[in-house]
Amino acid sequence: MHEEGTAADTGLEMAGNCTLPLSEDALLRFFLVYCCFICIVGITCNVVALWCVARCPRTITPVKVILGAIFSSTLLLCLVGPPSTANLALSKLRCDGEVPKTVQMFATISVCIFTKMESIYVFVMALLRARGVWAPRRGPVRMRTAVAAVVGVGLYILLETAVMVALKWMPNIHSHSRNIRLVASKIVHYLLPVLLTLACYLSTIVAVRRNKRNLAGSQPTAAVTMVMDEATRAMLAVFISNLVFVLPCAIKFIMTTEFTKFMMDIFLVFFYTHLFVDPLVFVCFNSHHRRHVLQALQLCLGRPPREEGALTIESQVAQSSPALGVPTRGEAKTQEDTC
């Protein structure tokens, strides 16, 4: 999804007549069902992820703000991307005319904005993880810093997208110069955040393994390192999901090669899949969130959740260890998160 994108980018462009081959008719019906599935499941998974982040007692508020920005961007993508594609497919199946270009442009620009925001927010979260592992004594991120990062990224993306759209429609700019600017923008906002996020998580893994080796003699500290590793693993799973499902689309946006309609459809399926996989792996790879979701499901089914017995070594350490920055009673303002 980029500034030059139109309905043709989805492989669902409107034809001049209603004579559809059997294969194209089947493909349109598949997209219609798949987009409805993504919309329903994606919204549900992202709402659950936001609920887990909001009620997690072991995550400090600044980190909740950044995590909320990540899954809010994905939630907004679910509300804009799949419905617009489903609308295009349904219009072509019914042969009831083209979707207004204004609606198509609004959907394309919105998907572009939310995709950029999501990738940059994931990078910000990875940067905080790397900072917390390499320099745990510097203290947690402050609320002002988190809010400034979220608001600053949002305003920057809105301004940058507006400039790119304006450049597209300015007739006095040479087409070659305009294309160079667009390619540079795509590299900076789609590819560069992925590379920087990868570097942050690689450095985090190195730091965690180094801490395990250096502190292996202390059992409580070793348990702290395991908790730290689990906390990092949840966001690392989200990044890997983006790497698998979003990176191919980002590379496609940067390339000027013309792809076949079938390949465009494959890219679109990959891109939409990450809308529900990201929040799903975030919840599944964090035992604290997973436990709360299971308890909520038991309550919805009319079954009282099991009362937890004695605290495990992991949770005991999480409640008392300042090395992870876990907010215990009276220490919530000076500690980091573990969720």
Side-chain angles (χ1 to χ4, degrees), residues 16-260:
N17 56 66
C18 292
T19 304
L20 298 176
L22 183 61
S23 59
E24 186 175 354
D25 183 81
L27 183 62
L28 288 172
R29 294 182 184 278
F30 164 77
F31 264 107
L32 186 60
V33 175
Y34 185 73
C35 288
C36 293
F37 168 80
I38 291 295
C39 190
I40 296 173
V41 178
I43 291 174
T44 302
C45 290
N46 281 282
V47 169
V48 170
L50 288 171
W51 174 75
C52 289
V53 170
R55 74 187 307 271
C56 180
R58 298 188 296 171
T59 303
I60 58 175
T61 304
V63 176
K64 288 184 178 181
V65 170
I66 300 175
L67 290 175
I70 294 174
F71 295 110
S72 295
S73 301
T74 311
L75 178 61
L76 292 172
L77 277 170
C78 292
L79 294 172
V80 176
S84 64
T85 304
N87 188 29
L88 287 172
L90 188 60
S91 298
K92 191 169 184 181
L93 284 171
R94 290 181 173 179
C95 300
D96 57 357
E98 295 187 0
V99 177
K101 291 185 178 180
T102 304
V103 176
Q104 296 180 18
M105 182 175 296
F106 172 78
T108 301
I109 294 176
S110 299
V111 170
C112 169
I113 291 173
F114 298 142
T115 303
K116 291 178 181 179
M117 287 182 178
E118 180 192 20
S119 62
I120 296 180
Y121 288 144
V122 170
F123 162 66
V124 172
M125 192 69 239
L127 185 63
L128 292 179
R129 285 296 181 193
R131 171 185 175 272
V133 174
W134 282 100
R137 297 184 179 180
R138 296 187 61 180
V141 60
R142 297 181 180 180
M143 187 64 181
R144 289 183 300 176
T145 304
V147 173
V150 171
V151 175
V153 169
L155 293 178
Y156 165 73
I157 294 301
L158 290 174
L159 179 61
E160 187 272 339
T161 304
V163 171
M164 290 296 105
V165 173
L167 288 176
K168 177 185 175 182
W169 295 105
M170 291 181 65
N172 57 341
I173 297 181
H174 192 271
S175 59
H176 181 67
S177 176
R178 183 187 297 112
N179 291 336
I180 291 178
R181 288 187 175 93
L182 288 174
V183 171
S185 174
K186 295 169 191 175
I187 293 176
V188 170
H189 299 99
Y190 292 118
L191 189 59
L192 186 60
V194 174
L195 297 178
L196 293 176
T197 304
L198 179 61
C200 288
Y201 279 119
L202 289 177
S203 67
T204 300
I205 292 172
V206 171
V208 168
R209 292 186 176 181
R210 184 199 63 173
N211 292 342
K212 285 182 178 180
R213 289 196 304 266
N214 295 342
L215 306 175
S218 174
Q219 182 64 30
T221 311
V224 168
T225 309
M226 287 194 300
V227 178
M228 183 187 304
D229 194 37
E230 178 188 350
T232 305
R233 189 164 58 245
M235 282 308 300
L236 181 59
V238 175
F239 169 68
I240 293 175
S241 171
N242 274 269
L243 201 63
V244 173
F245 295 110
V246 181
L247 185 59
C249 300
I251 296 175
K252 172 260 172 187
F253 296 153
I254 296 172
M255 297 174 62
T256 58
T257 307
E258 291 292 334
F259 291 92
T260 63

Side-chain angles (χ1 to χ4, degrees), residues 288-303:
H288 186 70
H289 296 333
R290 189 169 63 246
R291 184 171 61 251
H292 279 291
V293 171
L294 293 176
Q295 290 176 352
L297 289 176
Q298 290 176 352
L299 288 176
C300 292
L301 295 175
R303 302 175 182 176

